[in-house]
């Protein structure tokens, strides 16, 4: 049986298992032919405090015509970090063009966490991510990102069930078909809440937090989620499998000395399935 071909449009870190460096090995391990287009070259994970970033928009602008001429197509595209408003317009236009031909578009609007935007993320970035979400079959912001995208006040204690569903509906109004919101406390319980546009179902999946921070866990979640979806598992089950795998990976690595480099995935790929 032909496996779905997926294109990752995300940044590439030279040092650290985040973004493309985390997603590519997982999706390949899950049996999916995986290709990549870097949105930026990043020296190392931002958690080290110092870093160098090269915006690759000019490179991307030159890639799409070549791929079009060669007839390259993808069954799915997953976007992550977007380096600029110009890049967002270029990538969103390509995704919209491919979606019209049946390509599934996954959008991870990477902007911030714990109520704050990441280093270098601006209000312009938020507008860029809205552009990306407008073409998404599935988007999965964390709670912080969902608040910024919908002009909702971030409440550290979280949301009620009704408020969380309303937050999902605001993201759907931007254009996303299906939505997940990760890392959101609902009635005091850390959860992922979702909406599946195929069956109109809202669902909540609670989880237990391990009080350890690794960069790249969102990318790991994203890759396992997408891998299961492309292997024909429904959204709710795919989400639960991704959540459980991330929990196992964090638990197995929680005593690592240098957590800023992310989880050393090569040793633990058997845990992702």
């Amino acid at each position: 049986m032909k496996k779905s071909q997926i294109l990752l449009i995300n940044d590439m870190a030279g040092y650290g298992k985040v973004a493309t460096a985390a997603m590519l090995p997982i999706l390949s391990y899950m049996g999916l032919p995986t290709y990549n287009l870097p949105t930026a070259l990043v020296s190392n994970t931002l958690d080290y405090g110092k870093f160098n970033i090269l915006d690759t928009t000019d490179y991307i602008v030159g890639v799409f015509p070549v791929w079009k001429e060669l007839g390259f197509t993808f069954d799915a595209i997953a976007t992550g970090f977007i380096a600029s408003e110009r890049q967002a317009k270029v990538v969103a236009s390509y995704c919209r063009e491919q979606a019209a031909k049946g390509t599934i578009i996954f959008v991870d609007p990477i902007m911030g966490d714990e109520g704050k935007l990441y280093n270098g993320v601006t209000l312009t970035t938020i507008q860029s991510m809205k552009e990306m979400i407008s073409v998404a079959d599935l988007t999965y912001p964390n709670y912080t990102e969902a608040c910024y995208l919908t002009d909702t006040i971030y409440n550290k204690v979280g949301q009620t069930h009704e408020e969380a569903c309303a937050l999902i509906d605001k993201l759907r109004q931007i254009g996303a078909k299906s939505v997940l919101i990760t890392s959101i406390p609902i009635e005091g319980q850390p959860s992922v809440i979702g909406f599946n546009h195929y069956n109109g179902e809202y669902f909540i999946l609670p989880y237990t937090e391990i009080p350890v921070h690794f960069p790249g866990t969102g990318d790991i979640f994203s890759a396992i989620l997408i891998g299961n979806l492309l292997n024909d598992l429904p959204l709710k089950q795919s989400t639960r499998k991704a959540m459980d795998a991330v929990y196992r990976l964090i638990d197995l690595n929680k005593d690592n000395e240098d957590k800023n480099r992310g989880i050393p995935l090569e040793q633990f790929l058997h845990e992702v399935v």
Side-chain angles (χ1 to χ4, degrees):
M1 181 177 143
K2 179 181 175 286
K3 285 284 190 176
S4 296
Q5 298 199 109
I6 179 164
L7 171 65
L8 303 179
I9 304 181
N10 206 342
D11 65 291
M12 175 62 86
Y15 190 92
K17 291 297 173 184
V18 298
T20 302
M23 295 181 71
L24 202 153
I26 290 171
L27 287 160
S28 296
Y29 183 81
M30 295 179 79
L32 296 161
T34 307
Y35 307 87
N36 74 90
L37 183 65
T39 56
L41 301 179
V42 188
S43 58
N44 46 267
T45 63
L46 308 189
D47 301 68
Y48 286 103
K50 290 184 178 180
F51 49 87
N52 186 43
I53 295 181
L54 174 68
D55 180 330
T56 58
T57 305
D58 289 341
Y59 165 73
I60 291 171
V61 168
V63 166
F64 289 147
V66 174
W67 283 359
K68 189 172 185 179
E69 191 176 331
L70 293 170
F72 293 166
T73 59
F74 306 96
D75 301 292
I77 296 172
T79 73
F81 176 76
I82 297 294
S84 65
E85 190 172 15
R86 175 179 170 235
Q87 189 178 90
K89 284 182 165 36
V90 171
V91 172
S93 174
Y94 178 73
C95 287
R96 196 172 283 113
E97 187 181 285
Q98 297 307 302
K101 300 174 184 176
T103 300
I104 303 165
I105 310 296
F106 300 102
V107 175
D108 184 359
I110 299 167
M111 296 188 301
D113 202 2
E114 296 174 349
K116 308 184 296 288
L117 295 174
Y118 294 136
N119 284 335
V121 175
T122 64
L123 296 177
T124 302
T125 311
I126 298 169
Q127 286 305 122
S128 299
M129 284 305 182
K130 286 183 180 180
E131 178 116 20
M132 294 306 308
I133 285 174
S134 71
V135 301
D137 289 280
L138 171 65
T139 189
Y140 32 93
N142 61 32
Y143 175 38
T144 296
E145 291 156 348
C147 287
Y148 274 104
L149 287 162
T150 59
D151 299 317
T152 301
I153 294 170
Y154 177 88
N155 185 344
K156 192 174 181 181
V157 300
Q159 306 274 292
T160 65
H161 185 182
E162 292 75 20
E163 288 168 339
C165 288
L167 198 53
I168 278 185
D169 290 341
K170 287 180 183 177
L171 290 163
R172 291 172 58 211
Q173 285 166 16
I174 297 172
K177 294 175 183 171
S178 292
V179 175
L180 298 174
I181 301 174
T182 64
S183 309
I184 179 169
I186 298 177
E187 314 288 356
Q189 171 68 51
S191 304
V192 174
I193 186 168
F195 174 80
N196 184 344
H197 82 279
Y198 286 108
N199 58 13
E201 177 195 18
Y202 292 86
F203 58 87
I204 294 176
L205 299 171
Y207 65 90
T208 302
E209 278 187 327
I210 301 174
V212 172
H213 172 72
F214 282 99
T217 51
D219 304 302
I220 293 169
F221 170 85
S222 174
I224 299 169
L225 169 72
I226 291 169
N228 280 294
L229 287 169
L230 294 181
N231 285 330
D232 296 324
L233 204 66
L235 180 59
K236 186 176 179 180
Q237 288 92 317
S238 295
T239 304
R240 183 81 259 179
K241 282 179 82 79
M243 292 166 68
D244 291 346
V246 169
Y247 181 91
R248 288 194 303 273
L249 288 166
I250 293 173
D251 191 45
L252 287 164
N253 288 275
K254 62 181 183 289
D255 297 323
N256 291 9
E257 193 173 335
D258 183 4
K259 296 180 177 64
N260 288 339
R261 72 176 67 173
I263 291 171
L265 284 164
E266 292 84 353
Q267 304 166 48
F268 298 101
L269 286 171
H270 60 280
E271 295 287 347
V272 309
V273 292

